[in-house]
Amino acid sequence: MRDSAEAKRRWLDFWIHAELRKLVKDKPQGYIETSYVNQALGTIIEAVRRNMSPEEIEAIEKAWYEKGYIPGLNWLEANPDFAGNFKAVVAIGVMYASQYFKDSEGWDKGFEGLKFYIDNAILPDGSNYEGYGYFNYPVLQILKVTSIMTREQIVSLLADSGLAGSQTW
């Protein structure tokens, strides 16, 4: 986006990529594409803050919160039993956004979603029901999100998972 005003003006349809995914108007859900917006903004905002006015930061944060973060939380709430790689990626986006917004409840929801994926999609021997590419995709995202986690959170997430055996596959 060219500027913060454009980010604010863009319709929700744009933020959640409604041309690719269904738009639930009363409770919009953020999908993989929205997760990447959450991850990118959660990573970069502090680095670019010095180059932006407080009004620009406020506009971006408001648009992001309403059109990126909340739809991610909505998706997790609407799909509690889904164990595909999609869940891992959406949950990770929620974790990045919730950390930025200092929302511990949102962090917990993202963490729980990611833990559900790990506990249900990765078998004890490290194998997975999806093909290699579909398995590698969320695993790379998991490795990335550990950079914003404490050691205790990482241990809680991974200690009992089958990921230790995944390298043999």
Side-chain angles (χ1 to χ4, degrees), residues 26-161:
D26 59 327
K27 199 165 189 178
Q29 296 178 17
Y31 300 90
I32 288 177
E33 300 82 11
T34 308
S35 176
Y36 276 105
V37 171
N38 286 331
Q39 291 178 45
L41 290 173
T43 302
I44 199 68
I45 290 288
E46 292 306 325
V48 299
R49 181 179 295 276
R50 68 183 177 274
N51 300 323
M52 303 179 84
S53 71
E55 294 78 19
E56 289 174 313
I57 292 292
E58 182 180 345
I60 289 171
E61 287 175 339
K62 183 177 185 329
W64 174 21
Y65 187 86
E66 294 172 357
K67 300 172 184 175
Y69 180 44
I70 295 302
L73 286 169
N74 289 345
W75 189 92
L76 289 175
E77 182 183 319
N79 297 280
D81 299 323
F82 184 78
N85 64 23
F86 210 97
K87 182 166 202 149
V89 177
V90 172
I92 288 167
V94 164
M95 292 167 72
Y96 273 91
S98 65
Q99 182 187 52
Y100 180 87
F101 290 114
K102 297 176 177 37
D103 179 6
S104 60
E105 187 176 321
W107 174 272
D108 291 345
K109 289 177 182 178
F111 186 89
E112 289 165 13
L114 183 55
K115 180 98 172 107
F116 183 88
Y117 167 78
I118 290 171
D119 290 347
N120 291 279
I122 302 168
L123 302 176
D125 67 357
S127 64
N128 180 272
Y129 295 115
E130 298 184 287
Y132 174 75
Y134 282 95
F135 178 62
N136 191 44
Y137 175 59
V139 170
L140 292 175
Q141 297 295 309
I142 292 166
L143 293 175
K144 188 170 99 172
V145 79
T146 61
S147 69
I148 64 168
M149 296 170 66
T150 66
R151 183 181 190 295
E152 292 78 21
Q153 290 168 331
I154 295 168
V155 168
S156 174
L157 183 67
L158 301 175
D160 297 324
S161 79

